[in-house]
Amino acid sequence: MQSTLDMKTAMVIPSCRLESFARFAKVWGPRADWDATFVVVDGVETDGFRAAAADLPNPVVNGWSELEREIEQDWIISRRDSAIRSYGFLSAYQDEAQFDLLCTIDDDCYPHD
């Protein structure tokens, strides 16, 4: 059995709160010492999230514009809540990297000192 530290991992982070996500990225970025891609799905303003995500290793940021281009019936995912997490899972699943493990964590969850 493969160790989770050796797996190619996608961490899906849904957020509609730029301030909370920016804090998340600053706190988790230096601690992410495993091979993870951070798939950030935002429900507000992708440019701000892209800038904040620069603190994370391997960030992929998707927002409503990407979702609307990819999913014809985008109404299926509600707005301004964590439902956009589903699009993060879809995005990670469709990624050519073929992740071994898909995980999720909220933007207000921080590591314990």
Side-chain angles (χ1 to χ4, degrees):
M1 179 174 205
Q2 189 177 15
S3 165
T4 55
L5 292 176
D6 297 329
M7 293 181 169
K8 191 147 180 77
T9 305
M11 292 293 293
V12 176
I13 303 113
S15 184
C16 63
R17 304 173 298 190
L18 181 55
E19 186 176 304
S20 181
F21 174 71
R23 179 174 177 227
F24 175 96
K26 286 213 178 301
V27 171
W28 277 105
R31 295 172 183 244
D33 61 351
W34 69 96
D35 184 21
T37 296
F38 288 81
V39 180
V40 181
V41 283
D42 79 85
V44 185
E45 54 171 288
T46 304
D47 290 340
F49 282 84
R50 286 188 204 289
D55 288 326
L56 296 169
N58 306 317
V60 175
V61 181
N62 292 310
W64 279 103
S65 57
E66 290 84 4
L67 187 148
E68 290 167 347
R69 278 195 303 270
E70 187 172 337
I71 300 176
E72 185 176 321
Q73 297 174 327
D74 62 1
W75 55 265
I76 200 164
I77 297 178
S78 58
R79 294 179 184 252
R80 299 202 54 88
D81 60 22
S82 66
I84 199 165
R85 178 187 325 260
S86 300
Y87 180 63
F89 279 121
L90 177 65
S91 176
Y93 175 77
Q94 291 176 333
D95 191 291
E96 293 178 13
Q98 300 298 313
F99 296 105
D100 299 310
L101 182 63
L102 300 179
C103 302
T104 188
I105 189 170
D106 287 333
D107 66 356
D108 58 357
C109 296
Y110 308 109
H112 182 42
D113 291 332

